[in-house]
Amino acid sequence: MAAQQGEPVLAILGGTPRFPEPLHVGRPNVAAPDVVLERIRGALDRKWLTAFGPLVKEFEQRLAETAGVRHCIATCNASIALQVLFRAAGLTGEVVMPSFTFIATAHTLMWEGITPVFADIDERTGNIDVEHARRLITERTSAVVGVHLWGHPAPVDELTALAEEHGLPLFFDSAHAIGSLHKGKPVGGFGTAEVFSFHATKFINAFEGGAVLTDDDELAERVRKVHNYGRGEGEDIRHLGTNAKMTEVCAAMGLTSLEHMAELIAVNRANHDRYRDGLAGVPGVTLREPEPFDDTNHQYVVIEVDRDRAGIGRDDVAAALERENVLVRTHFHPGCHRTRPYVDDPARHAPLPLPRTEALGERVISLPTGTGVGQGQIDELCAVIGQIVRQGGEVRRARAGT
Ligand code: T4K
């Protein structure tokens, strides 16, 4: 009998974990700590710690240049950036977005009283299926939100055409995608506005942080106000707003990370290539690649486990890796539509099932990358994956009596 997904078919490798120190997905890159500390020291000396400080302003300016847009508003995290953006844009009713993303994309809409309606994905890219999104647009829809999943640009041209067709604004949750290029153009400058994340687990981090990027002068002005209690710099309060401001300490880290973006992408790319070489002979395990016309930041290294070809399921591979002290993630299983609170009200959120979201979600594993993992460790990790798959396949064949 074939083993079921999640059934512990493996008690292999055993003994002492192969990696004495845990390898994490999301281990922060800390580029030039002395420069970060020097910048923080400057903020302490100036006694200007938050609210439109010079480090935040410089970070905003550099981000706008990176994305090739006129306006950037830095925030304390990307979730708040999305909320502030959705509020400033006056969204109501429903918004169509992909289910296959981190829960923050959906939660931030719900938090603003907007209903996320989940589209399925193109299984080949993991990004939104634009034709499915088209079928979900109704008179209640007030926007479309795309996600550049794993840093791989969404189908920007098709989404732009869809949004224009229906006269809707198009936003991108670009939490994973600073530094990625779509057809040669930097992510951050597409649609009506985009949002970056600088959480510690992102390859460019600010401890915590986010940013709204846009070329829309009026929207930028509204975002700036909403993120500062409803007032512009030095103005009286005239609108409803919140406090979403970035601190100088976070900007010190963000600026320093950003100065090292090219070399951090080079590290990620080298890691990605090393995984590709190391996993080349492992049956049923493939590395997810971006589209050939895109140049990505390789924020995540994602493999896919094809249970039929590997002879072992994704959950068993992930569990075996954890026993070896490799703390992987299954980004973004099971999809927002299968997560509370959305799964409790499917009629409102999704035409169920979303077969491609569910199928891909059961096959993917994010592996450690960034400066926290060495090339030798990647070689060893690939060897461990090969061993897991070989032994898992043997167990399965023995059970099936073949
Ligand atoms: N949209 C999308 C598409 C997103 O993916 C995200 C966030 C957002 C919006 C919202 O952005 P933010 O509001 O966060 O700016 C993480 C992150 O918290 C989250 O930022 C990220 N996406 C999501 C995909 O993953 P967790 O719960 O997996 O991360 P956490 O904190 O458990 O860390 C993962 C691993 O990283 C840990 O096992 C150890 C390591 N780690 C983590 C931290 C924070 C460290 O070694 N050092 C650290 O300081 O959610």
Side-chain angles (χ1 to χ4, degrees), residues 24-28 77-80 82 101-102 104-105 147 173 175-176 197-202 208-210 300 327 329 331-332:
H24 290 275
V25 172
R27 201 80 177 150
N77 61 56
S79 300
I80 289 284
L82 286 165
T101 175
F102 188 55
T105 323
V147 178
D173 177 338
H176 308 160
S197 168
F198 304 109
H199 181 259
T201 54
K202 303 300 183 299
E208 290 260 9
Y300 293 105
L327 306 178
R329 285 283 195 270
H331 292 139
F332 288 95

PDB file of all heavy atoms in Angstrom, residues 24-28 77-80 82 101-102 104-105 147 173 175-176 197-202 208-210 300 327 329 331-332, ligand 1:
ATOM      1  N   HIS A  24      18.153  27.857   9.267  1.00  0.00           N
ATOM      2  CA  HIS A  24      16.799  28.424   9.214  1.00  0.00           C
ATOM      3  C   HIS A  24      16.504  29.000   7.839  1.00  0.00           C
ATOM      4  O   HIS A  24      17.376  29.628   7.241  1.00  0.00           O
ATOM      5  CB  HIS A  24      16.668  29.609  10.178  1.00  0.00           C
ATOM      6  CG  HIS A  24      16.694  29.231  11.616  1.00  0.00           C
ATOM      7  ND1 HIS A  24      15.578  28.829  12.302  1.00  0.00           N
ATOM      8  CD2 HIS A  24      17.705  29.219  12.517  1.00  0.00           C
ATOM      9  CE1 HIS A  24      15.894  28.582  13.566  1.00  0.00           C
ATOM     10  NE2 HIS A  24      17.175  28.812  13.722  1.00  0.00           N
ATOM     11  N   VAL A  25      15.253  28.877   7.418  1.00  0.00           N
ATOM     12  CA  VAL A  25      14.757  29.718   6.333  1.00  0.00           C
ATOM     13  C   VAL A  25      14.448  31.059   6.988  1.00  0.00           C
ATOM     14  O   VAL A  25      13.737  31.096   7.989  1.00  0.00           O
ATOM     15  CB  VAL A  25      13.465  29.136   5.719  1.00  0.00           C
ATOM     16  CG1 VAL A  25      12.846  30.111   4.718  1.00  0.00           C
ATOM     17  CG2 VAL A  25      13.755  27.808   5.060  1.00  0.00           C
ATOM     18  N   GLY A  26      14.978  32.131   6.453  1.00  0.00           N
ATOM     19  CA  GLY A  26      14.649  33.441   7.032  1.00  0.00           C
ATOM     20  C   GLY A  26      15.717  33.979   7.960  1.00  0.00           C
ATOM     21  O   GLY A  26      15.492  34.982   8.633  1.00  0.00           O
ATOM     22  N   ARG A  27      16.882  33.314   7.995  1.00  0.00           N
ATOM     23  CA  ARG A  27      17.983  33.847   8.812  1.00  0.00           C
ATOM     24  C   ARG A  27      18.351  35.215   8.261  1.00  0.00           C
ATOM     25  O   ARG A  27      18.655  35.349   7.064  1.00  0.00           O
ATOM     26  CB  ARG A  27      19.185  32.907   8.699  1.00  0.00           C
ATOM     27  CG  ARG A  27      20.146  33.051   9.829  1.00  0.00           C
ATOM     28  CD  ARG A  27      19.603  32.301  11.007  1.00  0.00           C
ATOM     29  NE  ARG A  27      20.481  32.316  12.151  1.00  0.00           N
ATOM     30  CZ  ARG A  27      20.017  32.254  13.382  1.00  0.00           C
ATOM     31  NH1 ARG A  27      18.712  32.233  13.603  1.00  0.00           N
ATOM     32  NH2 ARG A  27      20.835  32.209  14.387  1.00  0.00           N
ATOM     33  N   PRO A  28      18.331  36.270   9.093  1.00  0.00           N
ATOM     34  CA  PRO A  28      18.559  37.616   8.536  1.00  0.00           C
ATOM     35  C   PRO A  28      19.969  37.813   7.984  1.00  0.00           C
ATOM     36  O   PRO A  28      20.932  37.277   8.529  1.00  0.00           O
ATOM     37  CB  PRO A  28      18.343  38.542   9.731  1.00  0.00           C
ATOM     38  CG  PRO A  28      17.603  37.748  10.741  1.00  0.00           C
ATOM     39  CD  PRO A  28      17.963  36.313  10.517  1.00  0.00           C
ATOM     40  N   ASN A  77       6.005  48.323   9.123  1.00  0.00           N
ATOM     41  CA  ASN A  77       6.046  46.970   8.544  1.00  0.00           C
ATOM     42  C   ASN A  77       5.184  46.982   7.279  1.00  0.00           C
ATOM     43  O   ASN A  77       4.494  47.967   7.005  1.00  0.00           O
ATOM     44  CB  ASN A  77       5.599  45.880   9.548  1.00  0.00           C
ATOM     45  CG  ASN A  77       4.184  46.068  10.031  1.00  0.00           C
ATOM     46  OD1 ASN A  77       3.254  46.141   9.243  1.00  0.00           O
ATOM     47  ND2 ASN A  77       4.015  46.166  11.339  1.00  0.00           N
ATOM     48  N   ALA A  78       5.231  45.892   6.523  1.00  0.00           N
ATOM     49  CA  ALA A  78       4.503  45.878   5.248  1.00  0.00           C
ATOM     50  C   ALA A  78       3.012  45.643   5.448  1.00  0.00           C
ATOM     51  O   ALA A  78       2.199  46.073   4.620  1.00  0.00           O
ATOM     52  CB  ALA A  78       5.078  44.803   4.331  1.00  0.00           C
ATOM     53  N   SER A  79       2.641  44.957   6.524  1.00  0.00           N
ATOM     54  CA  SER A  79       1.207  44.731   6.752  1.00  0.00           C
ATOM     55  C   SER A  79       0.504  46.075   6.932  1.00  0.00           C
ATOM     56  O   SER A  79      -0.543  46.339   6.320  1.00  0.00           O
ATOM     57  CB  SER A  79       0.992  43.852   7.997  1.00  0.00           C
ATOM     58  OG  SER A  79       1.626  42.611   7.809  1.00  0.00           O
ATOM     59  N   ILE A  80       1.101  46.930   7.763  1.00  0.00           N
ATOM     60  CA  ILE A  80       0.518  48.259   7.967  1.00  0.00           C
ATOM     61  C   ILE A  80       0.587  49.070   6.671  1.00  0.00           C
ATOM     62  O   ILE A  80      -0.336  49.826   6.352  1.00  0.00           O
ATOM     63  CB  ILE A  80       1.275  48.996   9.103  1.00  0.00           C
ATOM     64  CG1 ILE A  80       0.944  48.352  10.453  1.00  0.00           C
ATOM     65  CG2 ILE A  80       0.938  50.475   9.141  1.00  0.00           C
ATOM     66  CD1 ILE A  80      -0.419  48.689  11.008  1.00  0.00           C
ATOM     67  N   LEU A  82       0.271  47.955   3.669  1.00  0.00           N
ATOM     68  CA  LEU A  82      -0.853  47.520   2.821  1.00  0.00           C
ATOM     69  C   LEU A  82      -2.158  48.131   3.335  1.00  0.00           C
ATOM     70  O   LEU A  82      -2.968  48.650   2.553  1.00  0.00           O
ATOM     71  CB  LEU A  82      -0.947  45.986   2.818  1.00  0.00           C
ATOM     72  CG  LEU A  82       0.133  45.259   2.007  1.00  0.00           C
ATOM     73  CD1 LEU A  82       0.173  43.766   2.360  1.00  0.00           C
ATOM     74  CD2 LEU A  82      -0.082  45.429   0.499  1.00  0.00           C
ATOM     75  N   THR A 101      -0.432  33.017  -1.183  1.00  0.00           N
ATOM     76  CA  THR A 101       0.416  34.092  -0.682  1.00  0.00           C
ATOM     77  C   THR A 101       0.424  34.003   0.835  1.00  0.00           C
ATOM     78  O   THR A 101      -0.340  33.230   1.432  1.00  0.00           O
ATOM     79  CB  THR A 101      -0.105  35.465  -1.148  1.00  0.00           C
ATOM     80  OG1 THR A 101       0.680  36.510  -0.542  1.00  0.00           O
ATOM     81  CG2 THR A 101      -1.557  35.708  -0.767  1.00  0.00           C
ATOM     82  N   PHE A 102       1.268  34.817   1.455  1.00  0.00           N
ATOM     83  CA  PHE A 102       1.255  34.896   2.918  1.00  0.00           C
ATOM     84  C   PHE A 102      -0.067  35.523   3.349  1.00  0.00           C
ATOM     85  O   PHE A 102      -0.614  36.388   2.662  1.00  0.00           O
ATOM     86  CB  PHE A 102       2.440  35.746   3.389  1.00  0.00           C
ATOM     87  CG  PHE A 102       2.643  35.756   4.873  1.00  0.00           C
ATOM     88  CD1 PHE A 102       2.795  34.578   5.590  1.00  0.00           C
ATOM     89  CD2 PHE A 102       2.693  36.957   5.567  1.00  0.00           C
ATOM     90  CE1 PHE A 102       3.004  34.588   6.967  1.00  0.00           C
ATOM     91  CE2 PHE A 102       2.909  36.980   6.947  1.00  0.00           C
ATOM     92  CZ  PHE A 102       3.058  35.790   7.641  1.00  0.00           C
ATOM     93  N   ALA A 104      -0.894  37.746   5.254  1.00  0.00           N
ATOM     94  CA  ALA A 104      -0.981  39.200   5.444  1.00  0.00           C
ATOM     95  C   ALA A 104      -1.691  39.878   4.265  1.00  0.00           C
ATOM     96  O   ALA A 104      -2.387  40.881   4.467  1.00  0.00           O
ATOM     97  CB  ALA A 104       0.407  39.806   5.624  1.00  0.00           C
ATOM     98  N   THR A 105      -1.526  39.359   3.053  1.00  0.00           N
ATOM     99  CA  THR A 105      -2.175  40.007   1.902  1.00  0.00           C
ATOM    100  C   THR A 105      -3.691  40.030   2.115  1.00  0.00           C
ATOM    101  O   THR A 105      -4.359  41.041   1.868  1.00  0.00           O
ATOM    102  CB  THR A 105      -1.837  39.269   0.578  1.00  0.00           C
ATOM    103  OG1 THR A 105      -0.502  38.808   0.611  1.00  0.00           O
ATOM    104  CG2 THR A 105      -2.063  40.156  -0.624  1.00  0.00           C
ATOM    105  N   VAL A 147       0.547  39.567  -6.437  1.00  0.00           N
ATOM    106  CA  VAL A 147       1.656  39.275  -5.510  1.00  0.00           C
ATOM    107  C   VAL A 147       2.817  38.748  -6.351  1.00  0.00           C
ATOM    108  O   VAL A 147       2.609  37.882  -7.203  1.00  0.00           O
ATOM    109  CB  VAL A 147       1.235  38.202  -4.478  1.00  0.00           C
ATOM    110  CG1 VAL A 147       2.396  37.851  -3.554  1.00  0.00           C
ATOM    111  CG2 VAL A 147       0.035  38.668  -3.659  1.00  0.00           C
ATOM    112  N   ASP A 173       1.408  43.443  -3.935  1.00  0.00           N
ATOM    113  CA  ASP A 173       2.076  43.089  -2.686  1.00  0.00           C
ATOM    114  C   ASP A 173       3.446  42.559  -3.113  1.00  0.00           C
ATOM    115  O   ASP A 173       3.568  41.441  -3.614  1.00  0.00           O
ATOM    116  CB  ASP A 173       1.265  42.020  -1.947  1.00  0.00           C
ATOM    117  CG  ASP A 173       1.960  41.565  -0.673  1.00  0.00           C
ATOM    118  OD1 ASP A 173       3.189  41.736  -0.580  1.00  0.00           O
ATOM    119  OD2 ASP A 173       1.276  41.007   0.207  1.00  0.00           O
ATOM    120  N   ALA A 175       6.122  42.231  -1.170  1.00  0.00           N
ATOM    121  CA  ALA A 175       6.865  41.972   0.068  1.00  0.00           C
ATOM    122  C   ALA A 175       8.148  41.184  -0.187  1.00  0.00           C
ATOM    123  O   ALA A 175       9.140  41.369   0.503  1.00  0.00           O
ATOM    124  CB  ALA A 175       5.980  41.222   1.061  1.00  0.00           C
ATOM    125  N   HIS A 176       8.126  40.300  -1.208  1.00  0.00           N
ATOM    126  CA  HIS A 176       9.296  39.436  -1.463  1.00  0.00           C
ATOM    127  C   HIS A 176      10.202  39.989  -2.550  1.00  0.00           C
ATOM    128  O   HIS A 176      11.194  39.326  -2.879  1.00  0.00           O
ATOM    129  CB  HIS A 176       8.845  38.048  -1.964  1.00  0.00           C
ATOM    130  CG  HIS A 176       7.829  37.377  -1.125  1.00  0.00           C
ATOM    131  ND1 HIS A 176       7.017  36.362  -1.588  1.00  0.00           N
ATOM    132  CD2 HIS A 176       7.484  37.569   0.169  1.00  0.00           C
ATOM    133  CE1 HIS A 176       6.218  35.958  -0.631  1.00  0.00           C
ATOM    134  NE2 HIS A 176       6.465  36.679   0.444  1.00  0.00           N
ATOM    135  N   SER A 197       8.341  44.741   1.792  1.00  0.00           N
ATOM    136  CA  SER A 197       8.533  44.404   3.217  1.00  0.00           C
ATOM    137  C   SER A 197      10.021  44.367   3.535  1.00  0.00           C
ATOM    138  O   SER A 197      10.822  43.877   2.730  1.00  0.00           O
ATOM    139  CB  SER A 197       7.941  43.026   3.534  1.00  0.00           C
ATOM    140  OG  SER A 197       8.360  42.595   4.830  1.00  0.00           O
ATOM    141  N   PHE A 198      10.348  44.844   4.719  1.00  0.00           N
ATOM    142  CA  PHE A 198      11.735  44.768   5.207  1.00  0.00           C
ATOM    143  C   PHE A 198      11.785  44.024   6.538  1.00  0.00           C
ATOM    144  O   PHE A 198      12.584  44.353   7.418  1.00  0.00           O
ATOM    145  CB  PHE A 198      12.335  46.176   5.328  1.00  0.00           C
ATOM    146  CG  PHE A 198      12.255  46.937   4.037  1.00  0.00           C
ATOM    147  CD1 PHE A 198      11.378  48.005   3.895  1.00  0.00           C
ATOM    148  CD2 PHE A 198      13.021  46.560   2.955  1.00  0.00           C
ATOM    149  CE1 PHE A 198      11.278  48.685   2.688  1.00  0.00           C
ATOM    150  CE2 PHE A 198      12.934  47.230   1.739  1.00  0.00           C
ATOM    151  CZ  PHE A 198      12.059  48.303   1.614  1.00  0.00           C
ATOM    152  N   HIS A 199      10.897  43.036   6.688  1.00  0.00           N
ATOM    153  CA  HIS A 199      10.947  42.191   7.878  1.00  0.00           C
ATOM    154  C   HIS A 199      12.312  41.496   7.928  1.00  0.00           C
ATOM    155  O   HIS A 199      12.945  41.262   6.895  1.00  0.00           O
ATOM    156  CB  HIS A 199       9.827  41.141   7.802  1.00  0.00           C
ATOM    157  CG  HIS A 199       9.772  40.237   8.995  1.00  0.00           C
ATOM    158  ND1 HIS A 199      10.298  38.957   8.977  1.00  0.00           N
ATOM    159  CD2 HIS A 199       9.254  40.429  10.235  1.00  0.00           C
ATOM    160  CE1 HIS A 199      10.113  38.402  10.165  1.00  0.00           C
ATOM    161  NE2 HIS A 199       9.474  39.270  10.940  1.00  0.00           N
ATOM    162  N   ALA A 200      12.732  41.129   9.143  1.00  0.00           N
ATOM    163  CA  ALA A 200      14.060  40.511   9.335  1.00  0.00           C
ATOM    164  C   ALA A 200      14.310  39.331   8.401  1.00  0.00           C
ATOM    165  O   ALA A 200      15.460  39.070   8.018  1.00  0.00           O
ATOM    166  CB  ALA A 200      14.194  40.071  10.783  1.00  0.00           C
ATOM    167  N   THR A 201      13.257  38.627   8.015  1.00  0.00           N
ATOM    168  CA  THR A 201      13.437  37.443   7.170  1.00  0.00           C
ATOM    169  C   THR A 201      13.594  37.786   5.685  1.00  0.00           C
ATOM    170  O   THR A 201      13.859  36.893   4.882  1.00  0.00           O
ATOM    171  CB  THR A 201      12.230  36.485   7.312  1.00  0.00           C
ATOM    172  OG1 THR A 201      11.034  37.229   7.048  1.00  0.00           O
ATOM    173  CG2 THR A 201      12.145  35.898   8.704  1.00  0.00           C
ATOM    174  N   LYS A 202      13.417  39.046   5.328  1.00  0.00           N
ATOM    175  CA  LYS A 202      13.587  39.447   3.923  1.00  0.00           C
ATOM    176  C   LYS A 202      15.063  39.732   3.664  1.00  0.00           C
ATOM    177  O   LYS A 202      15.767  40.202   4.553  1.00  0.00           O
ATOM    178  CB  LYS A 202      12.753  40.700   3.608  1.00  0.00           C
ATOM    179  CG  LYS A 202      11.270  40.530   3.908  1.00  0.00           C
ATOM    180  CD  LYS A 202      10.672  39.399   3.093  1.00  0.00           C
ATOM    181  CE  LYS A 202       9.179  39.251   3.306  1.00  0.00           C
ATOM    182  NZ  LYS A 202       8.777  38.950   4.661  1.00  0.00           N
ATOM    183  N   GLU A 208      12.228  45.423  11.182  1.00  0.00           N
ATOM    184  CA  GLU A 208      10.852  45.386  10.673  1.00  0.00           C
ATOM    185  C   GLU A 208      10.711  46.620   9.800  1.00  0.00           C
ATOM    186  O   GLU A 208      11.332  47.645  10.082  1.00  0.00           O
ATOM    187  CB  GLU A 208       9.820  45.500  11.803  1.00  0.00           C
ATOM    188  CG  GLU A 208       9.698  44.313  12.713  1.00  0.00           C
ATOM    189  CD  GLU A 208       8.516  43.398  12.398  1.00  0.00           C
ATOM    190  OE1 GLU A 208       7.847  43.581  11.354  1.00  0.00           O
ATOM    191  OE2 GLU A 208       8.287  42.489  13.202  1.00  0.00           O
ATOM    192  N   GLY A 209       9.881  46.537   8.793  1.00  0.00           N
ATOM    193  CA  GLY A 209       9.668  47.730   7.980  1.00  0.00           C
ATOM    194  C   GLY A 209       8.897  47.412   6.720  1.00  0.00           C
ATOM    195  O   GLY A 209       8.755  46.248   6.335  1.00  0.00           O
ATOM    196  N   GLY A 210       8.377  48.464   6.115  1.00  0.00           N
ATOM    197  CA  GLY A 210       7.665  48.326   4.855  1.00  0.00           C
ATOM    198  C   GLY A 210       7.748  49.643   4.113  1.00  0.00           C
ATOM    199  O   GLY A 210       8.308  50.624   4.626  1.00  0.00           O
ATOM    200  N   TYR A 300      13.677  33.586  -2.018  1.00  0.00           N
ATOM    201  CA  TYR A 300      13.428  32.230  -1.518  1.00  0.00           C
ATOM    202  C   TYR A 300      13.977  31.201  -2.496  1.00  0.00           C
ATOM    203  O   TYR A 300      13.873  31.377  -3.711  1.00  0.00           O
ATOM    204  CB  TYR A 300      11.922  31.980  -1.355  1.00  0.00           C
ATOM    205  CG  TYR A 300      11.283  32.811  -0.260  1.00  0.00           C
ATOM    206  CD1 TYR A 300      10.492  33.912  -0.572  1.00  0.00           C
ATOM    207  CD2 TYR A 300      11.482  32.501   1.081  1.00  0.00           C
ATOM    208  CE1 TYR A 300       9.915  34.680   0.430  1.00  0.00           C
ATOM    209  CE2 TYR A 300      10.911  33.270   2.081  1.00  0.00           C
ATOM    210  CZ  TYR A 300      10.129  34.356   1.757  1.00  0.00           C
ATOM    211  OH  TYR A 300       9.568  35.111   2.748  1.00  0.00           O
ATOM    212  N   LEU A 327      15.469  23.816   9.338  1.00  0.00           N
ATOM    213  CA  LEU A 327      14.118  24.264   9.700  1.00  0.00           C
ATOM    214  C   LEU A 327      13.477  24.947   8.494  1.00  0.00           C
ATOM    215  O   LEU A 327      13.629  26.152   8.286  1.00  0.00           O
ATOM    216  CB  LEU A 327      14.189  25.171  10.923  1.00  0.00           C
ATOM    217  CG  LEU A 327      14.939  24.496  12.103  1.00  0.00           C
ATOM    218  CD1 LEU A 327      15.038  25.416  13.300  1.00  0.00           C
ATOM    219  CD2 LEU A 327      14.297  23.172  12.513  1.00  0.00           C
ATOM    220  N   ARG A 329      10.352  25.783   5.551  1.00  0.00           N
ATOM    221  CA  ARG A 329       8.993  26.325   5.545  1.00  0.00           C
ATOM    222  C   ARG A 329       8.263  25.766   4.317  1.00  0.00           C
ATOM    223  O   ARG A 329       8.907  25.408   3.323  1.00  0.00           O
ATOM    224  CB  ARG A 329       9.019  27.852   5.410  1.00  0.00           C
ATOM    225  CG  ARG A 329       9.444  28.577   6.690  1.00  0.00           C
ATOM    226  CD  ARG A 329       8.278  28.587   7.667  1.00  0.00           C
ATOM    227  NE  ARG A 329       8.432  29.525   8.749  1.00  0.00           N
ATOM    228  CZ  ARG A 329       9.001  29.261   9.923  1.00  0.00           C
ATOM    229  NH1 ARG A 329       9.537  28.090  10.146  1.00  0.00           N
ATOM    230  NH2 ARG A 329       9.046  30.177  10.874  1.00  0.00           N
ATOM    231  N   HIS A 331       6.025  27.500   2.370  1.00  0.00           N
ATOM    232  CA  HIS A 331       5.387  28.725   1.856  1.00  0.00           C
ATOM    233  C   HIS A 331       4.638  28.436   0.557  1.00  0.00           C
ATOM    234  O   HIS A 331       5.271  28.037  -0.401  1.00  0.00           O
ATOM    235  CB  HIS A 331       6.437  29.782   1.526  1.00  0.00           C
ATOM    236  CG  HIS A 331       7.154  30.347   2.698  1.00  0.00           C
ATOM    237  ND1 HIS A 331       8.500  30.590   2.690  1.00  0.00           N
ATOM    238  CD2 HIS A 331       6.698  30.747   3.910  1.00  0.00           C
ATOM    239  CE1 HIS A 331       8.857  31.126   3.852  1.00  0.00           C
ATOM    240  NE2 HIS A 331       7.787  31.223   4.601  1.00  0.00           N
ATOM    241  N   PHE A 332       3.351  28.591   0.338  1.00  0.00           N
ATOM    242  CA  PHE A 332       2.388  29.148   1.238  1.00  0.00           C
ATOM    243  C   PHE A 332       1.209  28.195   1.336  1.00  0.00           C
ATOM    244  O   PHE A 332       0.096  28.541   0.999  1.00  0.00           O
ATOM    245  CB  PHE A 332       1.950  30.538   0.753  1.00  0.00           C
ATOM    246  CG  PHE A 332       3.066  31.544   0.957  1.00  0.00           C
ATOM    247  CD1 PHE A 332       3.939  31.833  -0.071  1.00  0.00           C
ATOM    248  CD2 PHE A 332       3.253  32.134   2.187  1.00  0.00           C
ATOM    249  CE1 PHE A 332       4.980  32.726   0.118  1.00  0.00           C
ATOM    250  CE2 PHE A 332       4.292  33.042   2.383  1.00  0.00           C
ATOM    251  CZ  PHE A 332       5.164  33.327   1.355  1.00  0.00           C
TER     252      PHE A 332
HETATM  253  N1  T4K B   1       2.830  40.037   2.064  1.00  0.00           N
HETATM  254  C1  T4K B   1       3.551  38.932   1.873  1.00  0.00           C
HETATM  255  C2  T4K B   1       3.449  38.224   0.569  1.00  0.00           C
HETATM  256  C3  T4K B   1       4.427  38.475   2.874  1.00  0.00           C
HETATM  257  O1  T4K B   1       5.150  37.348   2.675  1.00  0.00           O
HETATM  258  C4  T4K B   1       4.518  39.188   4.077  1.00  0.00           C
HETATM  259  C5  T4K B   1       5.368  38.729   5.147  1.00  0.00           C
HETATM  260  C6  T4K B   1       3.745  40.353   4.228  1.00  0.00           C
HETATM  261  C7  T4K B   1       2.907  40.754   3.199  1.00  0.00           C
HETATM  262  C8  T4K B   1       3.784  41.183   5.477  1.00  0.00           C
HETATM  263  O2  T4K B   1       5.072  41.722   5.705  1.00  0.00           O
HETATM  264  P1  T4K B   1       5.479  42.228   7.183  1.00  0.00           P
HETATM  265  O3  T4K B   1       4.268  42.851   7.814  1.00  0.00           O
HETATM  266  O4  T4K B   1       6.001  41.042   7.945  1.00  0.00           O
HETATM  267  O5  T4K B   1       6.564  43.262   6.905  1.00  0.00           O
HETATM  268  C9  T4K B   1       7.480  35.382   8.158  1.00  0.00           C
HETATM  269  C10 T4K B   1       7.582  36.870   8.370  1.00  0.00           C
HETATM  270  O6  T4K B   1       7.156  37.275   9.651  1.00  0.00           O
HETATM  271  C11 T4K B   1       6.832  37.641   7.336  1.00  0.00           C
HETATM  272  O7  T4K B   1       7.452  38.914   7.250  1.00  0.00           O
HETATM  273  C12 T4K B   1       6.876  36.989   5.971  1.00  0.00           C
HETATM  274  N2  T4K B   1       6.050  37.667   5.007  1.00  0.00           N
HETATM  275  C13 T4K B   1       6.433  35.547   6.043  1.00  0.00           C
HETATM  276  C14 T4K B   1       6.485  34.857   4.717  1.00  0.00           C
HETATM  277  O8  T4K B   1       7.293  34.851   6.913  1.00  0.00           O
HETATM  278  P2  T4K B   1       7.260  33.534   9.896  1.00  0.00           P
HETATM  279  O9  T4K B   1       6.276  33.392  10.963  1.00  0.00           O
HETATM  280  O10 T4K B   1       7.540  32.363   9.041  1.00  0.00           O
HETATM  281  O11 T4K B   1       8.678  34.114  10.332  1.00  0.00           O
HETATM  282  P3  T4K B   1       9.414  33.955  11.676  1.00  0.00           P
HETATM  283  O12 T4K B   1       9.411  35.242  12.383  1.00  0.00           O
HETATM  284  O13 T4K B   1       8.961  32.721  12.382  1.00  0.00           O
HETATM  285  O14 T4K B   1      10.905  33.661  11.152  1.00  0.00           O
HETATM  286  C15 T4K B   1      11.210  32.563  10.304  1.00  0.00           C
HETATM  287  C16 T4K B   1      12.565  32.000  10.683  1.00  0.00           C
HETATM  288  O15 T4K B   1      13.541  32.984  10.467  1.00  0.00           O
HETATM  289  C17 T4K B   1      12.696  31.576  12.109  1.00  0.00           C
HETATM  290  O16 T4K B   1      12.462  30.212  12.212  1.00  0.00           O
HETATM  291  C18 T4K B   1      14.123  31.880  12.458  1.00  0.00           C
HETATM  292  C19 T4K B   1      14.536  32.916  11.460  1.00  0.00           C
HETATM  293  N3  T4K B   1      14.702  34.229  12.100  1.00  0.00           N
HETATM  294  C20 T4K B   1      13.612  35.054  12.204  1.00  0.00           C
HETATM  295  C21 T4K B   1      13.740  36.283  12.799  1.00  0.00           C
HETATM  296  C22 T4K B   1      12.559  37.201  12.924  1.00  0.00           C
HETATM  297  C23 T4K B   1      15.918  34.574  12.591  1.00  0.00           C
HETATM  298  O17 T4K B   1      16.874  33.791  12.517  1.00  0.00           O
HETATM  299  N4  T4K B   1      16.067  35.818  13.150  1.00  0.00           N
HETATM  300  C24 T4K B   1      15.035  36.690  13.272  1.00  0.00           C
HETATM  301  O18 T4K B   1      15.222  37.806  13.782  1.00  0.00           O
HETATM  302  O19 T4K B   1       6.677  34.753   9.082  1.00  0.00           O
END
